Amino acid sequence: MQNSDISYLLEIQKLENKIGEYVKSIDSHSLRTKTLEKQISSKKNSLQEVEQKTKLQKSSLIEKEKELYELEEKRKKSDEHYKNAKSEQQVKALEKELKETIPQIERLEEEILSLMESIDLSEKEIAEINSFLKGSAESFNEVQNEVDEGIKDDKYAIEVFEKKEKDILNDCSLEARELFFSLKKRFQYQGFISLVEKGKCNRCFFTIPPLLQQTVLKGASLECCPGCQRLLSPDLS
């Protein structure tokens, strides 16, 4: 083991932090397309719901218009019969019939008007969603190209830092390399080295025993924090 191992590993930790930043950047790029895909999917689902609702509204409108037509025809016949009624009994029966029919016609007219307004709003919503989907389809390709380019650049940067990391590892002792790979699995991109500051680990704040502090300060061997298991380094600043 060489005393320079700690310095090498500190340099590797800096590279690991950089790699971690680019990994996060790749995730951020990917999130852009995933978010847009989610929005598009949500709008498509909304479109199906609105179209189904509009279909039912139009079907209901046809039924109510048919019902209204039949009631109006019934009222016309009642009016004709009322004019030609020859007995008081016929007059009263026709008056009763008209009294019942007219409110039904008025109710249907209101329902038809309300339905027509709802259909108009639904069709406007359908047009808006289709416009969004059309624009999204065009912009998605642009975003995807930007994301692909960003990920490509980030991956290249990671390759550069990994090569530097590999070169430095080649200068480390076997013990240091093995320790690094072990700690990397556990603390990937979270810092695998902690500093001894005022007698404590600056990561988990475990109080480092005086004898261990002296060993770390001398750099005589590679020692890990009894608390968090990170590699301990003296505060070289």
Side-chain angles (χ1 to χ4, degrees), residues 208-221:
I208 308 300
L211 186 60
L212 182 55
Q213 289 185 47
Q214 290 300 317
T215 302
V216 172
L217 185 62
K218 290 177 182 177
S221 61

Side-chain angles (χ1 to χ4, degrees), residues 3-220:
N3 290 333
S4 56
D5 277 340
I6 283 290
S7 297
Y8 288 147
L9 291 173
L10 283 169
E11 189 62 30
I12 287 173
Q13 178 167 256
K14 292 178 183 177
L15 295 173
E16 280 287 297
N17 291 340
K18 286 289 184 182
I19 291 171
E21 289 175 8
Y22 282 106
V23 169
K24 287 181 181 178
S25 177
I26 289 173
D27 291 340
S28 178
H29 286 311
S30 300
L31 186 61
R32 286 184 66 193
T33 52
K34 288 178 182 178
T35 299
L36 190 53
E37 284 174 343
K38 189 176 180 180
Q39 290 174 344
I40 292 172
S41 177
S42 177
K43 285 294 183 181
K44 285 181 177 179
N45 290 334
S46 295
L47 180 61
Q48 289 180 347
E49 291 173 4
V50 177
E51 286 178 336
Q52 181 62 25
K53 182 180 73 173
T54 306
K55 183 179 178 181
L56 293 173
Q57 288 172 332
K58 289 182 176 180
S59 177
S60 178
L61 179 62
I62 290 171
E63 291 297 319
K64 289 185 182 297
E65 286 177 335
K66 181 181 177 181
E67 188 180 349
L68 177 61
Y69 174 79
E70 291 173 352
L71 282 173
E72 286 178 335
E73 288 297 307
K74 181 180 178 181
R75 185 180 67 174
K76 287 179 183 179
K77 289 180 181 179
S78 296
D79 284 338
E80 287 296 321
H81 291 155
Y82 185 78
K83 292 176 184 178
N84 299 321
K86 295 179 180 179
S87 68
E88 185 178 344
Q89 186 177 2
Q90 286 179 327
V91 169
K92 286 182 178 180
L94 289 166
E95 284 178 344
K96 182 182 178 182
E97 189 175 282
L98 286 167
K99 189 177 181 180
E100 293 174 352
T101 303
I102 291 172
Q104 290 176 341
I105 290 174
E106 291 174 346
R107 174 182 57 79
L108 274 172
E109 287 175 339
E110 289 178 2
E111 289 177 359
I112 287 170
L113 180 61
S114 177
L115 265 174
M116 291 174 70
E117 290 174 348
S118 295
I119 290 170
D120 184 51
L121 290 174
S122 295
E123 288 180 337
K124 286 181 180 177
E125 187 176 357
I126 288 171
E128 288 173 359
I129 294 174
N130 280 325
S131 177
F132 171 85
L133 291 174
K134 182 181 178 181
S136 296
E138 295 171 355
S139 62
F140 182 81
N141 291 331
E142 295 177 5
V143 171
Q144 186 65 65
N145 289 335
E146 291 175 6
V147 166
D148 290 344
E149 195 65 31
I151 290 176
K152 181 181 176 182
D153 291 343
D154 290 343
K155 284 184 175 180
Y156 176 75
I158 289 173
E159 287 177 6
V160 170
F161 286 120
E162 285 179 338
K163 185 179 183 307
K164 289 181 179 179
E165 189 175 278
K166 184 177 180 181
D167 290 341
I168 295 173
L169 277 172
N170 287 334
D171 293 330
C172 292
S173 67
L174 177 61
E175 180 189 359
R177 288 199 297 272
E178 290 178 347
L179 182 60
F180 164 71
F181 289 121
S182 173
L183 293 173
K184 183 177 179 178
K185 289 180 181 179
R186 185 170 181 179
F187 302 109
Q188 191 169 42
Y189 313 135
Q190 298 177 39
F192 63 90
I193 298 177
S194 57
L195 302 180
V196 178
E197 295 179 342
K198 296 181 180 179
K200 293 184 178 182
C201 167
N202 73 337
R203 295 279 186 174
C204 70
F205 306 108
F206 185 89
T207 299
I208 308 300
L211 186 60
L212 182 55
Q213 289 185 47
Q214 290 300 317
T215 302
V216 172
L217 185 62
K218 290 177 182 177

